[in-house]
Amino acid sequence: MAAWGERLAGVRGVLLDISGVLYDGGEGGGAAIAGSVEAVARLKRSRLKVRFCTNESQKSRGDLVRLLRRLGFDISEGEVTAPAPATCLILKERGLRPHLLVHDGVRSEFGQIDTSNPNCVVIADAGEDFSYQNMNKAFQVLMELEKPILFSLGKGRYYKETSGLMLDVGPYMKALEYACGIEAEVVGKPSPEFFKSALREMGVDASQLLGETQGSPGWPWSQGWVWGLKQAGGLWQLPSCTSTES
Amino acid sequence: MAAWGERLAGVRGVLLDISGVLYDGGEGGGAAIAGSVEAVARLKRSRLKVRFCTNESQKSRGDLVRLLRRLGFDISEGEVTAPAPATCLILKERGLRPHLLVHDGVRSEFGQIDTSNPNCVVIADAGEDFSYQNMNKAFQVLMELEKPILFSLGKGRYYKETSGLMLDVGPYMKALEYACGIEAEVVGKPSPEFFKSALREMGVDASQLLGETQGSPGWPWSQGWVWGLKQAGGLWQLPSCTSTES
């Protein structure tokens, strides 16, 4: 415990991943990972600021939070940073109308977005909706654009469900990149912009934390400030978390 | 005509692609490309050796040849070099038992191959069979192997059907490569080995043609010996062909 106390000495807040960290998805919604409900509760009782930062793109934030609360977590929608709302902001800022290749569960997040006459494509972890027909349609939309724009909500390779490993959005992003000869814009982890927006929402100014002389724009995400604490059976050893030092 | 005569002066044989060159696939089997039936007939009447070299992996060679004959082409099964039979040879040589993610139309080519307890994955242009479920199964098989081996029958980005552009096997190969962190072994064009096997079957010794001092193993495929003659409306301007000079 002393070791943890020392390691957390300069830490002002904790960004927690959700899928594979707080719970494993699967039939009936999935199951909480042992120790994670207590860990979140204990973090919230501490002096640390806590925020949840997920690449979950199969569910709306509302559905995700309802599921997590059912599993026993103390969490509210306003505490979650997720790629779908972040993508909607970008689409609005740039006047883009997406063709959506997303799971039905997350479609409601795009309810206020004009999807007529699309001039870009947005893909998310669509699961079973990654059919050949749907992939081909997204491909055709991109090929008809003078300058194809593809947004990918995360670029994860795969994730674990209780039934086994499942392909995430990343492989399908790579498929469309290769087919069209383009590079996708990733919204979600590990994009520094995404982490920074989570920090802003947490009330911690990223620019204060990073310092402009510290290195590349990606720093400190690539330099160890963002570190994972692997679950190893200990009470305070969080399954995995992303922390920011002050 | 004189220009063509000069350009063909040193040419001993012609490798013709099939899909997108002799015909465009689509409903009812597709349609011959204008001029291609006559071009093949004229080549066969000439002094040139002719062979068909395709990455078609949705149909068995038998089905492909029957389709082409119905469209008017003078072609027999023995004149076609295709990736599925070439893959079967490799599997047998290396004692590999594949999990197949292929179109039902080409499955018969693997009829003599042991697919029990798979220790590799073979993907081909599976079309509608590139469902999420089938892709995930192929992914899971690869991840369970100590040393995952993935064969891809070609790596085309897309092809044209009468109804529009269609995703080929290449994007799905990239998806599995990314998901598993591996590199696929491509059987088919543009692999030099595949072209060489077509030359052997044509009765032209590749080593005689290439010369060992001429460059990299990929040479001359990358050096202009393999050139495409784009269809431009002329009688003798083949839609596209791959030729080898002596």
Side-chain angles (χ1 to χ4, degrees):
Chain A
M1 290 300 291
W4 282 112
E6 281 169 30
R7 290 187 73 170
L8 290 169
V11 174
R12 288 177 56 189
V14 178
L15 290 179
L16 288 169
D17 195 355
I18 296 179
S19 178
V21 170
L22 299 190
Y23 86 115
D24 282 330
E27 279 187 31
I33 292 172
S36 57
V37 170
E38 296 76 14
V40 169
R42 189 156 174 181
L43 276 173
K44 287 199 157 187
R45 287 197 305 270
S46 77
R47 62 173 176 80
L48 295 166
K49 293 189 178 186
V50 178
R51 194 166 175 84
F52 304 89
C53 188
T54 179
N55 270 6
E56 169 64 56
S57 64
Q58 275 207 356
K59 299 179 186 71
S60 68
R61 274 187 299 185
D63 287 344
L64 179 61
V65 163
R66 271 186 288 279
L67 165 66
L68 290 169
R69 292 182 68 86
R70 205 167 63 231
L71 295 177
F73 291 99
D74 173 13
I75 183 172
S76 67
E77 206 171 324
E79 293 172 311
V80 177
T81 298
T87 305
C88 289
L89 282 177
I90 294 171
L91 295 170
K92 282 178 185 165
E93 278 171 16
R94 291 164 57 179
L96 293 170
R97 301 176 306 276
H99 170 82
L100 297 172
L101 175 41
V102 302
H103 196 279
D104 278 345
V106 81
R107 203 169 286 271
S108 63
E109 296 273 20
F110 296 89
Q112 303 303 312
I113 299 290
D114 179 9
T115 56
S116 65
N117 189 23
N119 55 7
C120 72
V121 168
V122 170
I123 63 169
D125 174 18
E128 298 283 346
D129 287 331
F130 275 135
S131 65
Y132 180 78
Q133 197 178 6
N134 286 349
M135 278 290 285
N136 208 53
K137 177 62 188 170
F139 162 68
Q140 289 176 341
V141 169
L142 286 168
M143 292 296 275
E144 280 163 15
L145 298 174
E146 195 176 345
K147 190 177 178 308
I149 301 174
L150 171 63
F151 291 98
S152 182
L153 276 61
K155 60 174 186 177
R157 294 165 186 260
Y158 57 87
Y159 53 88
K160 199 178 121 195
E161 294 223 328
T162 48
S163 60
L165 299 182
M166 307 295 284
L167 286 170
D168 200 347
V169 66
Y172 289 92
M173 175 193 85
K174 288 289 175 187
L176 290 175
E177 284 185 339
Y178 178 74
C180 303
I182 59 173
E183 193 170 339
E185 300 182 32
V186 178
V187 184
K189 297 175 291 180
S191 153
E193 286 307 319
F194 190 70
F195 281 117
K196 283 180 190 168
S197 71
L199 290 181
R200 272 195 303 275
E201 291 160 331
M202 208 175 182
V204 179
D205 182 358
S207 66
Q208 280 186 309
L209 284 172
L210 312 190
E212 293 198 9
T213 62
Q214 299 282 17
S216 69
W219 196 91
W221 323 116
S222 55
Q223 298 293 326
W225 277 42
V226 175
W227 32 279
L229 313 179
K230 290 283 180 195
Q231 186 175 33
L235 184 65
W236 252 101
Q237 287 165 330
L238 301 181
S240 169
C241 76
T242 304
S243 78
T244 58
E245 298 184 10
S246 63
Chain B
M1 291 302 289
W4 281 112
E6 282 168 30
R7 290 188 72 170
L8 291 168
V11 174
R12 286 175 58 188
V14 177
L15 291 179
L16 288 168
D17 195 355
I18 295 180
S19 178
V21 171
L22 299 189
Y23 86 116
D24 283 331
E27 279 187 31
I33 292 172
S36 58
V37 170
E38 297 75 15
V40 169
R42 190 157 175 181
L43 276 173
K44 288 201 154 185
R45 288 196 304 271
S46 77
R47 61 173 177 79
L48 295 166
K49 293 188 178 185
V50 178
R51 191 163 178 86
F52 304 89
C53 189
T54 179
N55 270 6
E56 169 64 56
S57 63
Q58 275 207 354
K59 299 178 186 71
S60 69
R61 274 188 301 187
D63 288 344
L64 179 62
V65 162
R66 272 186 288 281
L67 165 67
L68 290 169
R69 293 183 67 86
R70 204 166 65 232
L71 296 176
F73 291 99
D74 174 12
I75 184 171
S76 66
E77 207 170 323
E79 293 172 312
V80 176
T81 298
T87 303
C88 289
L89 283 177
I90 293 170
L91 294 171
K92 282 179 185 165
E93 279 171 15
R94 291 165 57 180
L96 292 169
R97 302 175 306 276
H99 170 81
L100 297 172
L101 174 43
V102 303
H103 196 278
D104 278 344
V106 81
R107 205 169 284 272
S108 62
E109 295 274 19
F110 296 89
Q112 303 304 311
I113 300 290
D114 179 7
T115 56
S116 64
N117 189 22
N119 54 8
C120 71
V121 168
V122 171
I123 63 169
D125 173 19
E128 298 283 346
D129 288 331
F130 275 134
S131 64
Y132 180 77
Q133 197 179 5
N134 287 347
M135 278 291 284
N136 209 52
K137 177 64 189 169
F139 161 68
Q140 289 176 341
V141 170
L142 286 168
M143 292 296 275
E144 280 164 15
L145 298 173
E146 195 177 346
K147 191 179 176 306
I149 301 173
L150 171 64
F151 292 99
S152 182
L153 276 61
K155 59 174 187 177
R157 292 166 188 261
Y158 57 87
Y159 52 89
K160 200 178 122 196
E161 294 223 327
T162 48
S163 59
L165 299 183
M166 308 294 283
L167 286 170
D168 201 347
V169 66
Y172 289 92
M173 175 193 84
K174 288 288 175 188
L176 290 175
E177 284 186 338
Y178 178 73
C180 303
I182 59 173
E183 194 170 337
E185 300 184 31
V186 179
V187 184
K189 297 176 290 180
S191 153
E193 286 307 318
F194 191 70
F195 280 117
K196 284 180 190 168
S197 71
L199 290 181
R200 274 196 303 276
E201 291 160 331
M202 207 176 183
V204 179
D205 183 358
S207 64
Q208 279 186 310
L209 284 172
L210 312 190
E212 294 198 8
T213 61
Q214 298 282 18
S216 70
W219 194 92
W221 323 115
S222 56
Q223 297 293 325
W225 278 41
V226 174
W227 33 277
L229 312 179
K230 289 284 179 194
Q231 186 174 33
L235 184 65
W236 251 101
Q237 286 163 330
L238 301 182
S240 169
C241 76
T242 303
S243 78
T244 58
E245 296 186 10
S246 63

